[in-house]
Amino acid sequence: MSRTVKSVGIIGTGRYLPERVLTNYDLERIVDTSDEWIRTRTGISERRISDADTATSDLATAAALKAMKNAGVTAGEIDAIIVATATPDMAFPSTACIVQSNLDAEKAFAFDVQAACTGFIYGLSIGEKFISTGDAKTVLVIGSETLTKICNWEDRNTCVLFGDGAGAAILREVECGEGILASLLGAEGWKGKFLTLPAGGSRMPASIETVKGGKHFIHMDGGEVYKFAVGVMPAATLKVVEKAGLTLEDIDFIVPHQANKRIVESAAKRLKIGNERIFMNLTRYGNMSSASIPVALDEALEQGLIKKGDNVVLVGFGAGLTWGSCVINWSR
Ligand code: ACO
């Protein structure tokens, strides 16, 4: 028996950022860096830092509660919880199961997605499939990270870039022709070595040596990731717009992954899209990996930058290396 494919959209969003702010000036006292270097090379001025007792699931739960309120959805109505994170509370249980328990979302199934900074777009695309095929009615997708807990605070190449936060979205069926019009996911696993957290898994189990060697921190070849990002961001945008049967002129707003101002501006230039059509908040938060896009989306909505009927592109890249993009016709 064939199934009817339903249109799926975001009916509510929410975000949560830890209160503590770490400015570039604070970082000047920690590593050999300067506010001037960080701002001119990345666009970042400050980032949020979670405290020692706070885990990724805590941020995720707070963002989810806001998205649920915004969407008018109760915990009992949620059929699936997908948490995109590169910084889970622990290897297992999944952060999604911990969030399920926090929310008392008893009937939901729950799992994590690991696609680093692209994770929220991966989660959105997976969640959409459950609803469009009729296997779920209401899906909660969260991007949540506590990246500052895996930063090496002695490595100026990486520790200035990242911040903590969480963003969430509720997905449901929407009017035919609205919601997610197209999505594309990709990976170039052979480039994975450019961005890794080497230890703590089966390849390099945790040991005194791995801790001493700083193998539980982010290791990044910034130049290679930069090259990947400036190529893939415009390409993934163009491809998904084409897949949706639209042109760039039909796109009202782009919410890109917030890693580096220069990467976003380079993508905008290649796409010949004015800065007023691209959202950026990385100056206040840095790169929050999977949380960057949903937090940016929630802020853009709050600021009235996205209206009903607008065509919005979400586009990101991250460790893996992965990339993803989607076009959403805004339905609220
Ligand atoms: N403060 C001062 N100097 C610094 C700092 C710092 N924080 N960091 C690096 N430098 C120095 C370097 O040591 C180097 O010095 P040298 O020339 O004496 O060796 C110099 O600055 C230039 O370094 P570059 O790497 O060439 O700087 P660049 O302009 O490329 O910017 C950056 C580096 C910001 C990391 C850039 O390459 C970038 O943004 N890459 C992409 C990173 C990214 O997006 N990561 C995504 C992670 S996604 C995820 O999934 C977690």
Side-chain angles (χ1 to χ4, degrees):
M1 198 176 75
S2 72
R3 292 165 145 185
T4 318
V5 175
K6 300 177 172 78
S7 293
V8 179
I10 293 176
I11 63 154
T13 58
R15 67 180 185 276
Y16 180 78
L17 286 315
E19 270 176 32
R20 194 174 145 216
V21 174
L22 188 78
T23 67
N24 292 348
Y25 297 106
D26 296 327
L27 277 167
E28 284 180 359
R29 292 193 288 272
I30 301 172
V31 281
D32 178 17
T33 190
S34 66
D35 169 63
E36 204 264 335
W37 192 97
I38 303 170
R39 267 190 304 100
T40 53
R41 302 297 179 102
T42 71
I44 300 164
S45 299
E46 57 187 47
R47 68 286 293 143
R48 299 299 178 91
I49 308 272
S50 50
D51 59 39
D53 299 332
T54 301
T56 295
S57 64
D58 300 320
L59 308 186
T61 303
L65 285 168
K66 289 187 183 174
M68 287 157 60
K69 189 168 176 216
N70 187 241
V73 160
T74 62
E77 293 175 285
I78 298 171
D79 299 305
I81 301 173
I82 304 172
V83 174
T85 186
T87 49
D89 287 22
M90 55 191 91
F92 54 85
S94 69
T95 303
C97 282
I98 298 169
V99 170
Q100 179 203 15
S101 171
N102 291 347
L103 295 175
D104 283 329
E106 279 182 17
K107 76 169 181 185
F109 58 92
F111 60 94
D112 288 0
V113 168
Q114 219 292 32
C117 304
T118 323
F120 183 75
I121 296 179
Y122 270 61
L124 215 53
S125 182
I126 296 165
E128 180 212 354
K129 306 298 180 287
F130 285 123
I131 300 174
S132 69
T133 55
D135 286 342
K137 277 201 164 75
T138 307
V139 176
L140 167 61
V141 182
I142 309 170
S144 184
E145 304 284 3
T146 47
L147 286 164
T148 64
K149 293 184 191 248
I150 56 164
C151 282
N152 180 352
W153 294 99
E154 292 177 1
D155 177 14
R156 68 177 185 176
N157 290 295
T158 51
C159 75
V160 304
L161 303 175
F162 301 105
D164 300 338
I170 302 282
L171 305 188
R172 265 203 182 152
E173 183 180 358
V174 293
E175 291 292 318
C176 183
E178 296 181 352
I180 300 171
L181 303 181
S183 57
L184 275 176
L185 304 176
E188 297 185 16
W190 49 95
K191 296 182 182 168
K193 61 186 176 202
F194 297 136
L195 188 47
T196 62
L197 190 151
S202 58
R203 178 68 62 196
M204 205 187 286
S207 67
I208 289 167
E209 286 70 35
T210 60
V211 173
K212 277 188 186 157
K215 304 282 190 204
H216 297 268
F217 295 130
I218 298 171
H219 291 251
M220 182 177 75
D221 182 333
E224 287 293 342
V225 177
Y226 191 93
K227 259 194 279 173
F228 174 74
V230 294
V232 87
M233 294 276 275
T237 303
L238 273 177
K239 270 194 215 163
V240 82
V241 168
E242 213 170 273
K243 188 176 174 189
L246 302 174
T247 68
L248 279 179
E249 282 71 53
D250 300 315
I251 301 304
D252 300 287
F253 207 62
I254 299 183
V255 180
H257 175 46
Q258 310 281 314
N260 185 319
K261 188 172 183 244
R262 285 156 55 209
I263 293 173
V264 176
E265 287 178 348
S266 157
K269 201 170 157 197
R270 286 196 194 191
L271 294 167
K272 299 193 178 66
I273 282 186
N275 286 345
E276 71 290 347
R277 284 162 70 199
I278 295 210
F279 191 75
M280 258 201 278
N281 61 2
L282 61 88
T283 187
R284 287 179 282 124
Y285 303 131
N287 179 350
M288 297 183 290
S289 193
S290 68
S292 281
I293 290 177
V295 168
L297 182 62
D298 189 49
E299 288 198 342
L301 287 161
E302 195 175 82
Q303 291 170 26
L305 298 169
I306 297 170
K307 301 170 294 299
K308 183 173 165 55
D310 279 355
N311 290 318
V312 180
V313 168
L314 309 184
V315 59
F317 66 93
L321 299 179
T322 56
W323 60 268
S325 51
C326 65
V327 184
I328 305 173
N329 180 267
W330 213 260
S331 51
R332 276 163 74 100

